[in-house]
Amino acid sequence: MKTKTEKTDKTERNRMDVSDRLLSLTSQMLWLSSSLPEDRAGNQLAESILKHATASYFRHGEAGGSPSAKEFAQKFREALSELRMLRTVLLLLEKAGIPCSGQAVRDGLEEVDILIRIFFSSIRTLEGRASQ
């Protein structure tokens, strides 16, 4: 049986993993957005990538300072929503054939999918605890 300290340590490691993943993804998306062509389509997609990548990272950061479990879960829902929108933008970028690093887009999609699953699972866990 795990002690409370072991559970807390594991929770902290998981939280740091998510935070590190989000920071890494956001950094990748900053680079990707700056590599897009400076035309109407490139600028629009770059703005969307910047908006949704940074918002997901910031919402996660805000969740850490939440005074209640309800507010914490709400910030996670907002971060999840931003990640889903980022995924949509990356799918559009991939399909549109706009000149950029295809590998960066594929890597971004892979990481966004992982983070979406993590956030979805975390929200489900939080809601399950709240209903008990």
Side-chain angles (χ1 to χ4, degrees):
M1 182 174 200
K2 292 184 181 180
T3 65
K4 185 173 179 146
T5 304
E6 288 173 335
K7 288 180 183 177
T8 303
D9 289 346
K10 183 179 179 189
T11 301
E12 184 64 23
R13 279 195 309 273
N14 288 344
R15 191 177 84 69
M16 291 304 295
D17 289 343
V18 172
S19 183
D20 291 342
R21 281 180 171 278
L22 277 169
L23 179 59
S24 178
L25 175 67
T26 302
S27 297
Q28 286 177 295
M29 294 301 100
L30 292 172
W31 177 85
L32 177 60
S33 67
S34 69
S35 73
L36 293 175
E38 292 195 23
D39 58 17
R40 287 183 70 180
N43 288 336
Q44 177 66 38
L45 291 173
E47 286 295 319
S48 293
I49 289 169
L50 288 171
K51 176 185 178 212
H52 299 299
T54 57
S56 63
Y57 181 66
F58 296 149
R59 295 298 170 266
H60 179 263
E62 289 173 355
S66 297
S68 68
K70 183 178 179 179
E71 188 176 319
F72 185 87
Q74 180 58 35
K75 293 297 180 187
F76 262 50
R77 277 188 216 90
E78 292 169 7
L80 176 59
S81 177
E82 295 293 347
L83 288 167
R84 286 177 171 156
M85 288 302 302
L86 177 58
R87 183 177 187 279
T88 301
V89 174
L90 291 173
L91 287 170
L92 176 59
L93 183 59
E94 183 179 58
K95 184 70 172 176
I98 293 174
C100 66
S101 169
Q103 187 62 46
V105 174
R106 286 187 294 280
D107 290 347
L109 281 167
E110 183 178 321
E111 189 62 23
V112 164
D113 285 341
I114 291 168
L115 284 163
I116 286 171
R117 287 194 302 273
I118 290 170
F119 274 82
F120 183 80
S121 177
S122 297
I123 292 165
R124 230 152 114 215
T125 300
L126 289 167
E127 289 172 346
R129 287 182 188 162
S131 67
Q132 291 178 350

